[in-house]
Amino acid sequence: MPETPYRALVVDDESISRRTVMFALSKEQFDCTPASDGIEALEKAKQTKFDLIVTDLCMPNKHGHALVTELLACGAGHIPIIVAHSSLDEPRLTKDLMIRGADDIVYKPTNYAAFAAKMKGLVIRRRLKCEKETSNLNDVDSAAKLPKAVDQSAVSSRISRISIKDFDARMADVTHLWPVSNASQEVLELIGASNLDSRALASKIDSDVVLMIELLRAANSNQYARTGRKITDVNEAIARLGTRRIVEVALSVGTLAGLTKLVLPWFDDEFARRRSIASYHSATRILELQRPKGQDNGIVFSAQLYPLTRMVVGAAYANIYENLLVDSSRNDKSLLNLEREVFPRTPAEATWQLLLNWGLPIELFKPLNQADTAFDSLPALQEPSRTTVKLLKAAILLGEYAVGVWRLWEDKPELPPDAFFTSLNIDC
């Protein structure tokens, strides 16, 4: 649980809907209080400082629109995140609520897991903003008291290094934030059954468009399409890929879906997805170029996952990341170097441990924990690990350069010597 718990007031006259929202929010560490109408909600809002208020619009006694209006009319003091959750899809009402200052309008039927994750992200963003404003005020006060000889621009917040015990405990707490999507989970269960039902497997894959597209794309890649004949049938794709590759694709798709449910204000998840896709294609192409044909050894999945690993640690240490980004801007240091000063493991190492705790086959992601090994340290690795890690690093690097954009808090990575790529049969 966070040091200061997230508090939510859930307002709905329908008990089933109210309990469902509360259950979903509780999974995201919210301490929930129920209310059955606007009058009861206003009374409870006066007694407790809530981070979030979720309200239905159609209720007896005092409806949701009136409740939202009164809450926002308070003006001064603490105003929580206010979200309307309703089956009433009326554009004029939506526009009016947003203009008045409601933070979001969510319509039923609802994906409750995504809804709860989004609510937590909104609350975290609001807390970070408030903390930053408070910090800025304190900085102004402190700066006014400093002797004139002090270079105020050099004053930087210092963050104590986190112990490995605290780090691992925090990482264990974020496991529930990172679910495999339902369709991917069902595919894995079908493959793990003693008698594989190919028809049921194909039907389940057909039900998830993203999963189906990725499997057909893998089946039509040069690595598997030996004859060059393109296929569009899922059953053929299953036969061509085999169960191991299907597991890898299902995990990749499901993990990406789970990770992107995390809402971190400072993290550009769409940009990370672009890098993830680019690294995936780089890895598959690199393996095709190997002579003889290279074995996967977890390279493809690790390359695809690497650009997203920072989200995992960020979910556990949201406030610290906000401070690290401030330090990065003030001191012109990359976020990666600051992470190494504060955290006992890199995001890739933390994600590797998380996957291991999850019980996933280590063969799928084995080299991920060595993805940040320096190029000049690679000779110290034993074969075949050395070549596997080299292939992974090459895929990640080429994926980053393929996207060709770097954020302000990261250094543009340097290319290794030409001999590095030559040894891997890669012509750059």
Side-chain angles (χ1 to χ4, degrees):
M1 295 290 288
E3 292 180 4
T4 304
Y6 309 114
R7 295 187 175 88
L9 176 63
V10 180
V11 192
D12 200 313
D13 61 315
E14 295 182 5
S15 61
I16 294 177
S17 179
R18 187 172 63 243
R19 289 200 302 268
T20 303
V21 171
M22 291 174 64
F23 178 79
L25 290 174
S26 69
K27 293 293 185 180
E28 293 291 347
Q29 302 174 318
F30 279 92
D31 182 5
C32 298
T33 299
S36 58
D37 59 43
I39 294 176
E40 183 183 359
L42 280 175
E43 287 299 316
K44 291 186 175 180
K46 292 175 183 177
Q47 299 167 10
T48 304
K49 185 177 179 181
F50 292 103
D51 297 287
L52 169 71
I53 296 179
V54 179
T55 181
D56 188 18
L57 293 179
C58 299
M59 297 182 296
N61 300 325
K62 185 185 286 292
H63 55 72
H65 184 275
L67 171 62
V68 172
T69 301
E70 289 193 38
L71 289 169
L72 292 170
C74 295
H78 171 78
I79 297 180
I81 295 292
I82 300 175
V83 176
H85 178 229
S86 176
S87 56
L88 181 62
D89 186 357
E90 169 50 56
R92 288 174 298 179
L93 182 60
T94 298
K95 181 179 179 181
D96 180 74
L97 286 171
M98 296 302 288
I99 290 174
R100 290 177 184 273
D103 295 280
D104 202 1
I105 315 291
V106 179
Y107 296 107
K108 303 174 184 179
T110 308
N111 179 333
Y112 285 98
F115 171 82
K118 184 180 182 182
M119 295 304 103
K120 183 175 182 180
L122 290 172
V123 169
I124 290 174
R125 181 179 297 178
R126 175 68 61 80
R127 283 193 176 187
L128 290 174
K129 181 180 179 182
C130 292
E131 290 172 5
K132 189 172 184 179
E133 290 173 351
T134 301
S135 176
N136 289 341
L137 289 174
N138 291 338
D139 286 347
V140 171
D141 291 339
S142 298
K145 298 174 184 178
L146 288 172
K148 296 298 182 180
V150 175
D151 180 7
Q152 296 177 7
S153 66
V155 178
S156 172
S157 61
R158 302 305 303 162
I159 303 171
S160 301
R161 183 168 179 81
I162 295 166
S163 70
I164 195 165
K165 181 179 179 180
D166 177 75
F167 185 84
D168 288 345
R170 283 287 190 98
M171 293 309 303
D173 287 341
V174 304
T175 302
H176 70 283
L177 294 175
W178 195 21
V180 173
S181 66
N182 291 337
S184 296
Q185 183 65 48
E186 290 173 10
V187 166
L188 297 176
E189 290 173 357
L190 285 170
I191 290 175
S194 56
N195 295 317
L196 176 60
D197 186 341
S198 298
R199 185 177 301 177
L201 179 61
S203 175
K204 180 50 61 180
I205 291 170
D206 274 330
S207 71
D208 189 304
V209 175
V210 176
L211 181 56
M212 179 181 65
I213 290 172
E214 288 302 321
L215 282 170
L216 288 171
R217 181 181 295 170
N220 287 307
S221 67
N222 293 338
Q223 186 177 1
Y224 291 94
R226 305 298 185 187
T227 64
R229 183 178 68 87
K230 299 295 182 182
I231 61 174
T232 57
D233 181 72
V234 171
N235 288 290
E236 283 192 73
I238 291 172
R240 180 177 286 187
L241 292 172
T243 57
R244 176 191 166 90
R245 186 64 183 128
I246 294 172
V247 167
E248 291 176 341
V249 175
L251 281 172
S252 297
V253 172
T255 300
L256 290 174
L259 274 176
T260 51
K261 288 178 182 177
L262 294 177
V263 184
L264 302 176
W266 52 271
F267 192 88
D268 187 344
D269 61 323
E270 184 56 36
F271 176 75
R273 281 178 65 88
R274 287 167 55 199
R275 277 194 179 172
S276 174
I277 293 169
S279 297
Y280 165 80
H281 288 296
S282 296
T284 54
R285 181 57 178 157
I286 285 172
L287 290 178
E288 290 169 2
L289 293 172
Q290 296 306 295
R291 293 188 289 270
K293 293 295 182 181
Q295 297 296 313
D296 187 325
N297 295 327
I299 294 167
V300 173
F301 184 45
S302 297
Q304 185 178 18
L305 193 57
Y306 181 81
L308 305 173
T309 56
R310 190 169 269 132
M311 294 180 76
V312 177
V313 182
Y317 291 99
N319 292 345
I320 284 182
Y321 264 99
E322 182 74 7
N323 291 330
L324 290 178
L325 289 169
V326 172
D327 279 359
S328 175
S329 175
R330 285 178 176 175
N331 303 323
D332 195 25
K333 295 181 68 173
S334 72
L335 182 59
L336 178 62
N337 288 333
L338 291 173
E339 283 174 329
R340 287 170 174 166
E341 293 176 5
V342 174
F343 299 121
R345 302 189 198 276
T346 67
E349 291 170 336
T351 304
W352 183 90
Q353 185 63 50
L354 194 60
L355 290 169
L356 197 64
N357 293 341
W358 245 18
L360 297 185
I362 193 171
E363 293 79 10
L364 297 178
F365 58 92
K366 189 173 183 179
L368 181 63
N369 69 325
Q370 295 178 305
D372 292 314
T373 303
F375 285 107
D376 56 8
S377 298
L378 291 174
L381 299 179
Q382 298 295 316
E383 292 290 5
S385 293
R386 183 193 309 152
T387 298
T388 299
V389 175
K390 287 173 68 176
L391 290 168
L392 173 59
K393 289 183 69 66
I396 293 169
L397 188 62
L398 292 176
E400 290 177 345
Y401 274 90
V403 174
V405 178
W406 285 268
R407 286 158 288 197
L408 294 175
W409 39 261
E410 61 181 350
D411 293 332
K412 185 176 180 180
E414 294 183 7
L415 288 170
D418 291 341
F420 173 84
F421 290 104
T422 303
S423 67
L424 299 174
N425 298 321
I426 301 173
D427 184 9
C428 292

